[in-house]
Amino acid sequence: MKKVILGIIISVAVIMFLTNPSQADYSSWVGKQLKKDQNALIEIGVDLAVVPYVRDQTSRTEGYVFSIYRTKLWNDKEIVAIGMFDSFYINKKNIEKIKAIE
């Protein structure tokens, strides 16, 4: 029984390690979030201005099986997201900050 549990834990850790998203993935994800339900002009603006800003203002803390992304906004606030399993998780308070960028 202990070997089965240990095998499951190791398998999950390996999967998390292999699906830990990169900083480029994070910048693209933020851009996609901002482009939802927008017109073409805003989508172009997001690609030209916001995505490079996010890329430059984001620091990544590598945890091997997950990453923590901290993006500094121009109003001295910070958005914190956790990346794992090729996805990003952010709390509702931070989503409101992203919407304020628009």
Side-chain angles (χ1 to χ4, degrees), residues 40-57:
L41 186 60
I42 291 178
E43 288 182 13
I44 292 170
V46 167
D47 288 335
L48 293 177
V50 177
V51 172
Y53 178 85
V54 169
R55 184 182 57 242
D56 294 340
Q57 296 300 316

Side-chain angles (χ1 to χ4, degrees), residues 39-96:
N39 64 36
L41 186 60
I42 291 178
E43 288 182 13
I44 292 170
V46 167
D47 288 335
L48 293 177
V50 177
V51 172
Y53 178 85
V54 169
R55 184 182 57 242
D56 294 340
Q57 296 300 316
T58 299
S59 64
R60 178 183 185 209
T61 303
E62 176 69 47
Y64 298 107
V65 295
F66 68 94
S67 295
I68 299 172
Y69 300 89
R70 298 179 186 277
T71 304
K72 293 184 181 183
L73 302 177
W74 52 86
N75 57 3
D76 292 330
K77 293 186 180 181
E78 186 176 68
I79 296 171
V80 179
I82 297 174
M84 65 174 88
F85 297 114
D86 281 332
S87 298
F88 298 95
Y89 303 94
I90 190 167
N91 66 21
K92 289 184 180 183
K93 191 185 298 185
N94 284 329
I95 290 174
E96 291 170 7

Side-chain angles (χ1 to χ4, degrees), residues 6-26:
L6 182 62
I8 291 171
I9 291 171
I10 290 172
S11 297
V12 170
V14 168
I15 290 169
M16 289 179 75
F17 176 78
L18 294 174
T19 60
N20 188 0
S22 68
Q23 190 159 345
D25 294 333
Y26 174 74

